[in-house]
Structure formats: structure tokens, C-alpha cells
């Protein structure tokens, strides 16, 4: 089981370097992340975007461009589509969002002719390294689906489960969060959580995971909080995966962990034909590099299963 980002980087390394297709690569942090990934032996990159700007930022980042390829595409939407096409055509392994709005990147991913549609709901899956935890924490969905219904949440769980399995968790413990651990008809997220837990118990939809809920955040991650509240459940206090009720809750939790708890982060979009490296434009080069490693590990794991 991978318990931190150092172990993640080690697990993601391959003898034959995979290729990363970076859409709108003219950004200092992006190119610093590519440099880190290259130095660590994770990947080489095809940098799609404005060539002159990429070269200028690469010089500032001290990135040796002789190890990478530049595809000169000035228009941002076209650059996104070009990067996605490289993956679709087998010329690259995973795409990465650069200095461009998420909506523009996703339009390329969902392009009917050249995109990476996988027939599933797309969702963002974050992975966080929190100093007080002995494990990585998977969090979804904090960046894409605004108000998912129970069927959407079921797919969000499936996408998160794929990430958890890639991290080496044999039986991921998944907590469906709300503001309370009791089912309350006036709080629809608690009802959804109970239904999702029932799906797994009744027909094993999310096997090999254990899915329980509703949980308040404290008794999902703290054994002591679960003990005090008398919650006897295999997930209580030991959750590997947190499923949030909506994007507001997820976004606030994600950024609170980053800015207050100083958690290290990685993020990918799941549900497409390949994991998509997607972080906030404000994220550090280390967050972006960790996201590259995560996407490559998921890609390798899913390729072996096919």
C-alpha cells in the first residue's frame, strides 16, 4: 500500500518512460513540474502551446527541451484538442491541463471525434498527504460535479475506487460524508449516503471496497471521535476515501487541508479513457508533479487489468 507521495513516485517509475501530453504548456509552474517529473524518471513530455512562450518559460525553469517535444499551437482550445488527440492516437499516455480553464480542457476530452469519452460520468479525484495521517487520503468530488444525485455519487465512488486500488489498497474503506452520522430526511445527503452503503451491501456494486455512511468528518477519520459517539463500523475512524455531498463541501475541505493543514496534493479527472492530470492553476509545481505520478500509476494499473 502506498502511504505517501515519496512512495507514489517510486511506484510510478517505469524503465520505458511514458509520455505526457501537456495542453497549453506555457506556464512556469507547469514546466517546473515537467522538469521534476523528468529528473525523477517519471515521464517525458510533449508540450503543446505557444512555442515562443514555452521556450521562454522553459529557460526560466531551467528545463532542458532537448528531452521533450514542442508542438506549436497558439489557440488554447486547439492546443487542448491536440494534446487529447495525441493520447487518443497512442502517441502519448496521459493528458495534462496546463494554463487553461478546466472547461476548455474538458471540451477537448469530450470531443466526439478526437476525445477520450469513456461512457462514464467524469469526476475529480484528489489525493492528499496529511501530516497527522498514516495514509494517503482520497477525496471526491471537490472540483467538477456541482450537486451530484445518488446515481452520480455511485459513479464518483467507482472512479475514486479505481484510484484507491491503484494506490495498493486491497479493501478501500470509503466514507460517504454529510454533517451528521444519522439519517435525516431533512438532510438529503444523509439519505444518499445510506442508499450508497446499501448498494454495496445488497449487490456488491463497489467491491472490493467497504462503503459506509453517513459519516460526519470527525468520525470518518478519527477513531477516538467514532468511539466517543459509539459508532461501530469498519470504516469509522479509518476512512481511506471521503465522498463529499457536493462541490462546495469538497472544495472547502480540499483547500482547508491545503492551506491550513499544509497537506500535499495531487488531482486527476477519472471516467475518461485515460486519467487526466488536472490541478488548480495556483497549485505548486510539486502538486502538479505528484498529479503526474498519480495519473501515470493509474494508467499503468488499468492497462495491466485490460
Amino acid at each position: 500500500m502506498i502511504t505517501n507521495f515519496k512512495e507514489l513516485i517510486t511506484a510510478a517509475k517505469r524503465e520505458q518512460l511514458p509520455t505526457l501530453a501537456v495542453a497549453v504548456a506555457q506556464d512556469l509552474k507547469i514546466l517546473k513540474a515537467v522538469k521534476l517529473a523528468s529528473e525523477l524518471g517519471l515521464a517525458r513530455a510533449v508540450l503543446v502551446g505557444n512555442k515562443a512562450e514555452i521556450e521562454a518559460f522553459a529557460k526560466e525553469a531551467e528545463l532542458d527541451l532537448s528531452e521533450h517535444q514542442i508542438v506549436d499551437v497558439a489557440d488554447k482550445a486547439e492546443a487542448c484538442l491536440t494534446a487529447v488527440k495525441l493520447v487518443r492516437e497512442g502517441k502519448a499516455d496521459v493528458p495534462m491541463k496546463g494554463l487553461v480553464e478546466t472547461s476548455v480542457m474538458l471540451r477537448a476530452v469530450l470531443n466526439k471525434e478526437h476525445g477520450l469519452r469513456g461512457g462514464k460520468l467524469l469526476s475529480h479525484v484528489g489525493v492528499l498527504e496529511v501530516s497527522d495521517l498514516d495514509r494517503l487520503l482520497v477525496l471526491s468530488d471537490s472540483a467538477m460535479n456541482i450537486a451530484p444525485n445518488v446515481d452520480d455519487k455511485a459513479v464518483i465512488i467507482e472512479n475514486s475506487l479505481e484510484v484507491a486500488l491503484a494506490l495498493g489498497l486491497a479493501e478501500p474503506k470509503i466514507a460517504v460524508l454529510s454533517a451528521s452520522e444519522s439519517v435525516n430526511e431533512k438532510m438529503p445527503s444523509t439519505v444518499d449516503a445510506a442508499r450508497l452503503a446499501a448498494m454495496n451491501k445488497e449487490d456488491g456494486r463497489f467491491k472490493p471496497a467497504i462503503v459506509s455512511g453517513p459519516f460526519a468528518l470527525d468520525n470518518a477519520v478519527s477513531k477516538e471521535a467514532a468511539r466517543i459517539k459509539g459508532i461501530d463500523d469498519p470504516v469509522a475512524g479509518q476512512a481511506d476515501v471521503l465522498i463529499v455531498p457536493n462541490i462546495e463541501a469538497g472544495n472547502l475541505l480540499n483547500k482547508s487541508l491545503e492551506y491550513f493543514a499544509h497537506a500535499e496534493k495531487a488531482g486527476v479527472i477519472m471516467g475518461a479513457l485515460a486519467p487526466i492530470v488536472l490541478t488548480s492553476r495556483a497549485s505548486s509545481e510539486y502538486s502538479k508533479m505528484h498529479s503526474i505520478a498519480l495519473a501515470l500509476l493509474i494508467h499503468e494499473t488499468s492497462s495491466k487489468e485490460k
Side-chain angles (χ1 to χ4, degrees):
M1 182 179 76
I2 295 168
T3 61
N4 55 55
F5 283 137
K6 184 177 180 180
E7 292 175 1
L8 171 64
I9 290 166
T10 300
K13 291 182 180 180
R14 299 288 174 266
E15 287 187 13
Q16 185 172 350
L17 286 183
T19 300
L20 182 71
V22 186
V24 193
Q26 57 265 30
D27 175 75
L28 183 59
K29 286 183 180 179
I30 287 288
L31 295 179
K32 282 185 175 181
V34 169
K35 180 175 184 283
L36 287 168
S38 179
E39 290 175 344
L40 289 166
L42 291 172
R44 63 173 57 88
V46 179
L47 306 170
V48 185
N50 185 298
K51 182 178 179 181
E53 293 181 10
I54 290 172
E55 289 175 338
F57 281 118
K59 184 176 181 179
E60 187 176 352
E62 299 182 343
L63 172 66
D64 182 1
L65 289 174
S66 67
E67 300 179 7
H68 308 283
Q69 177 186 352
I70 296 177
V71 178
D72 189 14
V73 181
D75 181 78
K76 290 187 175 183
E78 187 62 29
C80 290
L81 188 58
T82 299
V84 166
K85 284 172 67 177
L86 288 169
V87 177
R88 178 66 179 264
E89 294 169 359
K91 298 175 182 176
D93 296 285
V94 297
M96 178 176 185
K97 180 181 86 77
L99 191 65
V100 64
E101 294 84 354
T102 297
S103 60
V104 178
M105 184 67 182
L106 291 180
R107 277 197 293 273
V109 170
L110 296 173
N111 182 278
K112 291 182 179 179
E113 185 177 357
H114 302 294
L116 296 169
R117 286 172 175 257
K120 291 180 67 176
L121 178 77
L122 301 184
S123 60
H124 184 270
V125 182
V127 176
L128 298 103
E129 182 180 308
V130 184
S131 59
D132 290 340
L133 287 181
D134 60 357
R135 61 194 183 277
L136 290 173
L137 197 61
V138 179
L139 174 66
S140 192
D141 180 345
S142 65
M144 192 164 179
N145 292 285
I146 296 172
N149 60 33
V150 71
D151 293 324
D152 295 334
K153 289 176 184 176
V155 181
I156 287 169
I157 289 175
E158 291 171 341
N159 288 342
S160 301
L161 175 58
E162 189 174 347
V163 175
L165 293 174
L167 292 172
L169 290 160
E171 191 179 50
K173 296 179 177 67
I174 300 179
V176 188
L177 298 183
S178 184
S180 169
E181 60 276 1
S182 301
V183 177
N184 182 340
E185 294 291 339
K186 293 182 179 179
M187 195 181 298
S189 60
T190 64
V191 178
D192 285 356
R195 288 179 62 189
L196 291 162
M199 285 181 192
N200 212 38
K201 291 175 183 175
E202 292 168 3
D203 60 19
R205 174 162 178 175
F206 310 118
K207 294 296 183 183
I210 303 171
V211 179
S212 296
F215 280 107
L217 178 62
D218 57 351
N219 47 64
V221 297
S222 166
K223 290 182 181 179
E224 178 66 7
R227 184 192 66 79
I228 290 170
K229 293 187 176 182
I231 302 172
D232 182 16
D233 187 285
V235 177
Q238 305 179 79
D240 303 301
V241 180
L242 303 178
I243 303 298
V244 297
N246 53 45
I247 198 170
E248 292 97 336
N251 192 275
L252 288 167
L253 176 56
N254 191 327
K255 290 180 179 176
S256 293
L257 288 169
E258 179 181 10
Y259 287 97
F260 295 145
H262 308 293
E264 294 291 336
K265 294 171 51 179
V268 292
I269 294 288
M270 297 296 294
L273 296 177
I276 301 154
V277 182
L278 192 144
T279 60
S280 167
R281 283 169 284 173
S283 295
S284 72
E285 59 264 35
Y286 294 98
S287 174
K288 296 178 192 298
M289 180 271 290
H290 292 148
S291 301
I292 292 169
L294 178 63
L296 293 173
L297 180 65
I298 297 165
H299 179 265
E300 175 72 12
T301 304
S302 61
S303 297
K304 286 180 179 178
E305 292 175 352
K306 291 177 181 177

